[in-house]
Each structure stands twice: as C-alpha cells, then as structure tokens.
Amino acid sequence: MASHNKEIKSTKFGHLPLSTSGPEECALTGSALLRSPYHNKGSAFPSNERKDFKLFGMLPPNTQSLEEQVERAYQQYSSRQSDLAKNTFMTSMKEQNEVLYYKDHLKEMFSIIYTPTEGDAIQNFSRLFRKPEGCFLNIEDQDRVHENLAQWGDAEDIDYIVVTDGEEILGIGDQGVGGILISVAKLVLTTLCAGIHPSRTLPVVLDCGTDNEELLNDDLYLGLRKPRVRGKQYDDFIDTFVRSARKLYPGAYIHFEDFGLTNARRILDQYRPKVPCFNDDVQGTGCVTLAGIMAGLHVSKLKLTDMRLVIFGSGTAGTGVADQVRDAIAAESGKSKEEAAKQIWCVDKPGLLLRSQVNRLTHGQEPYAREDSDWQGKDHDDLLSVVKEVKPHILLGLSTKPKAFTEEIIKEMAKHVDRPIIFPLSNPTRLHEADPKDIHKWTKGKALIATGSPFPPIEYNGKKYEVAECNNSTCFPGIGLGAVLSRTKLLSDKMLVAAVKALAAQSPALKDPDMGLLPDVVNVREISVHIAVAVIKQAVEEDLATIKDIPDTDPDLEEWVREQMWEPRYRPLIRVGKKDASKHAKGELGVGGVQRESR
C-alpha cells in the first residue's frame, strides 16, 4: 500500500527498544484505535488492518495514502482565515493523528505551531481550552506531586520532560497555567526536529499562581487565582517535582522552559550537577548563538580566544549566551572561566555591568561585572560609549529594545573591525535591535549577520546575502536526542561545546561566505543527527553515558541514532492481546493516551 512507506532504515540496530524499523504492536481495536493519535491511520488503514482491528464499517471504504491525507489536511488548514485558527486546527489534528500532524510543510507551519502564533494560543489558553494536554501540578497540592506524575507511565516509559512555571513565556510574560502549551510546543519541536518519540514525552506545568492581573480577573481562567508564590514554598515545590520525576522516570531528561529571570539560572545551576537537565532560554540560545559566532569567526579568520564580545541585553538569554561563549573560550584556551569572561562586556539598562552594582545584579550577571576602576573616567552608561571603548569584533542584541543598534553604533564598530559580526536577536521581529538590510548598508556589506527571526536575503550592490536565523530549534532537539539515547548521567559543559561545534560545522558560510552563518531549519533533522552523535561521543568520553554497546565508529553511531528517531510514517500494525501488551501497544502512553488508568 502507498500509505506504508518502504522500510528504508537498516535493521542492523532493529533490536533496540526505540527501534523504528518494521511493524509495531497494537492491542487496540475499533473506535479505541481510531481515538489513539499514536496508532490511528484514519482513511489510510489498509484492508488487512481494517479486518484485523475491526474497523470495517467505521471508515469510508476508499483506502488512501498518507500523501493524499496530507493534501486534504493542507487544504483544510489553508482555508482557516487567521493564524490562531490554523494553530487550533493543527492542535485538533495532533489529537487525532500524530503521523499526519508531523508530515510535511515544516518551514511554512513553523510560525503557526510555535512562535509567534503559539504565544497567542497561550494567552487564550483558558478561552480556547477543550481538553487537557499534559500534567498539571499546583503548588497547593505538593503532597500529590509524586502521585500525579506517576500516572504517565512506568520507569522506562518517559524519555523527555519539558517543565515550565509559566512566568516568562515567549516574550509575553506571566501566563500562569497557560504555560502548559509552551511545554507541549517544545516537545512538538523535539519530535519534529529530532525524532523524539511523541508517546514517550511529558509536558508539565507547575502552577504557582500568577501576577498577571488580567488572568486573575478573568472568570474563565483555569489556573490558581492567586499571586505567584515565591521563596521557600516555591523552592520546595521545584525540588519535589525534580525528585519525583527522577524517582519515577530515572532515564528521563528534564528540560526547564520559560522560568522567570530570578529563577531560571538559579534552578538550572542547582540541578545541573545532579540530574541530566537543560534550560533552553539559558543554554539553548547560547549554544545556537555560539555556533553562529564560530562560523562568523571562521569567515573573518579570527580565533575565539582573540575576539572581543559586547552583549546588549543581559537577562536570562543574554547571560546564557555569555556563559556558552565563556565556557568555549575556556575549553579551547585552557584559561579559567574567570579569565575567559574578561573577553565579554555585558550591557543592560543601567549601562555596562559593574561590580559596584552588586545589589542589582542577578546571579547570572555577576560573573560579567567589570571592575569599576577599569572604567574610572570613561563613559559606560550607554551602548555607544562601550562600543567606542571596547572596539568589539562581535555585537549581540538580546535587549528587546527595537532599533537599539543605531547607524552611529554600527559605523563606530565597523571602523575598527574588518568583518563585524552583528546579531540582533530579540524576538519577535518588531523588537529587533536593527534591520539586517540597514546593518549591511551601514557597514558597506562587510557585516556578518544572524537574527532571532527569519528575514529575507539582502541585496547590496547587486549581490545577494543570506541572513542566518539563530533558531534554537536547530540545536536543543539534537542535544536532547543525544542525552536521551545515551541516557547520560549529566549534561556537561563539554557536551554542550561538542553540540555547538557540530552545529557550526553545518554552516553554509563555511563553503560560501555570502551564505547564512547557520543552516536552515528545513534541514533540521539531519542537523540533529550530527549534534546527537557529537553529544553521545562526548558523554562516552566523560563516562557519563549509561547505555551499553554504543557504537564506537561514526558511521555506525550515525546509523544507531537514525534507527531510534521517530518518523511521521505509517508502520504496519500487528494485533496483540492486551494481557501481555506494552503500554504503548495499549495506547496508554503520552498525552494522547486513550485508556490510561489511574495508579
């Protein structure tokens, strides 16, 4: 049948528990099977499966291919009049048929299923709510955290957990319980971009209340209607969650997402030495930005250990980028982290970060505060003054302050650097520090540019230049895939540096300096393979990998990784009895599970 793609994967590693070759077992029949998004094929069920699984009479008689289903679904999608309506349509499809949801049109739909449209869906969570999707834990029921988490599977059933407290969502701030949708969206990206099995993921929201007055005054709001709880009770809640997650799902990788400025870095630093965990806002942005920097340095023939970097905007993302750059400098040069940090100047609302501001500095900002004596008698209250003094090779914007990179600042930088590397990274587009075409004009085409949102190519003096997008989705899913497949004990600094180098090695600019500094998201699954391989190799080298018999040659390791990446294709189903069936076969795993029983 056309709906069953020919098996193109090698069966060399077909014995692995996460293997995606060959048929899969299913214990569901009839309407229960049609309600399982992980097994449902809709009109693509072939005749033999309709017979075996008692589907005759429940489906129209014509059997269609997956490609025909995609065409119908895309026509329905295109008929929706607004982006939010398209987002809602895609959510409904995901609840019905995971394979169809993930198949094709990646680049076109990226902004619909993720930022910026997912932000609109999150803001309207309580008004658009139809069915729960994920695990809802609230700070007033800490005694039930372990029990509530236990409902999602046995110890070996969950690979990847995304958790948020909803305080700082996608640049739109505190969204309370609606933050569950950012956990769902991030997990969608791990499957879409890196083949994490969708039924083996768990989105979680930690409802600690909200300081969003609009939500507190909304009668339809579904979360705790009280101001955010902070302090010891909050810390105990986080600890209870982490401890319970690790005890219940010891092989799972924990991804912290969109925690507030005062908590994101602090929580990550607390748990990184203990469990395999990651924060995309702190580390993901830093990794993909560092990869772009490395590609830019290659083009400009400059060493990482010799460059000077100014970061404008020193919140969670800004200091996260600084950390990744600092750690890479230290790893490459043998310098201490403190010495490496001296190549980085961080600027925020009060100007350059200084030691004398200690009472106003966040935990993440402290390592980058400069000595006041070094700036005695020098202007440091604004970005232009800092650029004049430092003469940076690289300028990064994570300030959400539109047009902050003025013509005067860019031209001042270009006076001292042959190929200035300039990344206006704030999202969404309206918050970018500068338009790439203006940067090109002001630097006479010399600048190497990457942005936080997609921009069309630039034409300058009759020549076309690609604008790279620093899209975290080209990085964090591959890191997570490597961590999951190796069952690493921790996610080390060296593993992150390995991921960055693997991403930088895929830069189109390495072959043509007029191409983008970073690869396009449309090639993300292939990128994720290379990143996962690099992460796994480093985990093995540091004796952090707990999986046995990981291949020790690159070709075999790549094949081993690919074999365990879920793909949106219909696999033949084999009917099995419920008594001895796995939870996946019974449709009990994942947020779309149809027959999960309370434990």
Side-chain angles (χ1 to χ4, degrees), residues 18-20 159 191 195-201 564-566 571:
L18 295 181
S19 168
T20 55
D159 293 332
T191 298
I196 298 293
H197 292 234
S199 67
R200 299 180 60 83
T201 65
Q564 299 179 82
M565 292 172 69
W566 185 88
R571 294 167 63 185

Side-chain angles (χ1 to χ4, degrees), residues 309-325:
L309 166 63
V310 169
I311 299 177
F312 182 60
S314 302
T316 300
T319 55
V321 171
D323 288 346
Q324 296 303 320
V325 176

Side-chain angles (χ1 to χ4, degrees), residues 64-82:
Q64 294 191 309
S65 68
L66 176 56
E67 290 70 27
E68 288 170 325
Q69 289 181 317
V70 168
E71 176 60 27
R72 177 188 297 108
Y74 185 66
Q75 289 181 13
Q76 295 171 352
Y77 167 88
S78 300
S79 71
R80 273 34 182 198
Q81 297 301 305
S82 70

Side-chain angles (χ1 to χ4, degrees), residues 353-535:
L353 299 185
L354 297 172
R355 298 281 185 195
S356 58
Q357 302 161 354
V358 62
N359 292 331
R360 290 181 289 168
L361 298 177
T362 66
H363 178 67
Q365 291 173 339
E366 289 175 3
Y368 304 100
R370 315 295 292 198
E371 296 291 345
D372 290 68
S373 58
D374 293 342
W375 287 80
Q376 197 72 35
K378 300 174 184 177
D379 290 335
H380 52 73
D381 293 336
D382 60 85
L383 180 60
L384 177 60
S385 299
V386 175
V387 168
K388 283 181 177 180
E389 184 65 29
V390 174
K391 299 177 179 57
H393 301 94
I394 305 166
L395 176 62
L396 306 181
L398 298 107
S399 66
T400 66
K401 186 177 178 182
K403 304 187 187 305
F405 292 175
T406 64
E407 181 176 357
E408 186 178 8
I409 289 171
I410 299 302
K411 285 186 172 180
E412 176 63 32
M413 181 180 178
K415 283 182 189 177
H416 311 285
V417 183
D418 288 335
R419 298 298 304 270
I421 299 171
I422 304 172
F423 292 4
L425 297 175
S426 291
N427 278 316
T429 305
R430 61 182 172 81
L431 299 180
H432 266 49
E433 287 80 7
D435 190 306
K437 68 176 183 296
D438 290 331
I439 296 174
H440 250 281
K441 182 174 69 175
W442 297 334
T443 62
K444 298 181 180 178
K446 296 192 302 178
L448 298 167
I449 304 170
T451 58
S453 295
F455 275 87
I458 298 166
E459 287 197 18
Y460 181 79
N461 282 350
K463 199 171 184 179
K464 185 177 284 189
Y465 299 85
E466 294 290 332
V467 179
E469 180 188 357
C470 276
N471 190 325
N472 291 20
S473 302
T474 59
C475 197
F476 83 81
I479 294 172
L481 177 63
V484 165
L485 295 186
S486 66
R487 301 296 175 190
T488 184
K489 300 172 190 173
L490 302 171
L491 185 64
S492 71
D493 289 344
K494 289 183 178 180
M495 289 166 73
L496 292 177
V497 171
V500 169
K501 289 181 176 179
L503 178 56
Q506 304 298 308
S507 167
L510 300 186
K511 297 178 180 178
D512 181 350
D514 296 333
M515 298 296 288
L517 293 176
L518 291 164
D520 195 298
V521 70
V522 75
N523 302 313
V524 69
R525 283 181 69 94
E526 188 64 23
I527 296 165
S528 291
V529 171
H530 293 289
I531 292 175
V533 165
V535 168

Side-chain angles (χ1 to χ4, degrees), residues 518-578:
L518 291 164
D520 195 298
V521 70
V522 75
N523 302 313
V524 69
R525 283 181 69 94
E526 188 64 23
I527 296 165
S528 291
V529 171
H530 293 289
I531 292 175
V533 165
V535 168
I536 292 167
K537 287 170 67 175
Q538 187 61 44
V540 170
E541 184 174 326
E542 295 184 71
D543 198 28
L544 292 173
T546 62
I547 288 291
K548 305 300 181 185
D549 301 320
I550 294 175
D552 55 9
T553 67
D554 282 1
D556 279 353
L557 183 52
E558 279 195 24
E559 188 177 340
W560 186 83
V561 168
R562 293 180 198 278
E563 174 59 33
Q564 299 179 82
M565 292 172 69
W566 185 88
E567 292 181 357
R569 57 191 173 91
Y570 292 137
R571 294 167 63 185
L573 297 181
I574 296 177
R575 186 173 173 182
V576 295
K578 289 186 177 180

Side-chain angles (χ1 to χ4, degrees), residues 204-369:
V204 178
V205 64
L206 305 177
D207 190 348
C208 305
T210 178
D211 291 335
N212 185 328
E213 289 296 327
E214 187 175 336
L215 295 179
L216 291 173
N217 294 324
D218 184 351
D219 291 340
L220 295 181
Y221 178 59
L222 290 165
L224 289 177
R225 296 179 66 180
K226 59 183 291 184
R228 277 194 174 270
V229 176
R230 304 186 186 276
K232 185 178 184 304
Q233 187 180 356
Y234 174 88
D235 290 344
D236 289 347
F237 187 35
I238 299 296
D239 195 60
T240 299
F241 162 74
V242 173
R243 288 176 181 272
S244 296
R246 289 298 292 166
K247 185 173 183 180
L248 290 164
Y249 310 114
Y253 171 78
I254 299 177
H255 174 140
F256 296 107
E257 184 68 27
D258 286 345
F259 282 74
L261 179 62
T262 58
N263 292 320
R265 178 59 185 272
R266 182 175 65 86
I267 291 170
L268 180 66
D269 286 348
Q270 180 177 349
Y271 293 105
R272 269 197 83 194
K274 304 173 185 177
V275 303
C277 62
F278 178 83
N279 184 306
D280 191 40
D281 308 291
V282 177
Q283 297 166 297
T285 302
C287 285
V288 72
T289 304
L290 176 56
I293 288 172
M294 285 183 166
L297 292 174
H298 177 88
V299 173
S300 60
K301 297 179 172 56
L302 187 68
K303 293 181 180 179
L304 183 66
T305 51
D306 295 331
M307 66 87 209
R308 295 182 298 277
L309 166 63
V310 169
I311 299 177
F312 182 60
S314 302
T316 300
T319 55
V321 171
D323 288 346
Q324 296 303 320
V325 176
R326 176 201 63 189
D327 293 350
I329 293 170
E332 195 162 303
S333 66
K335 294 179 181 178
S336 67
K337 289 186 178 183
E338 292 75 17
E339 191 65 24
K342 293 179 180 179
Q343 291 180 227
I344 303 168
W345 287 258
C346 289
V347 181
D348 210 63
K349 292 174 184 176
L352 184 69
L353 299 185
L354 297 172
R355 298 281 185 195
S356 58
Q357 302 161 354
V358 62
N359 292 331
R360 290 181 289 168
L361 298 177
T362 66
H363 178 67
Q365 291 173 339
E366 289 175 3
Y368 304 100

Side-chain angles (χ1 to χ4, degrees), residues 83-84 116-125 128 170 172:
D83 287 348
L84 186 56
T117 311
E118 186 66 13
D120 295 335
I122 292 169
Q123 285 181 302
N124 288 280
F125 171 75
L128 296 177
L170 291 175
I172 56 176

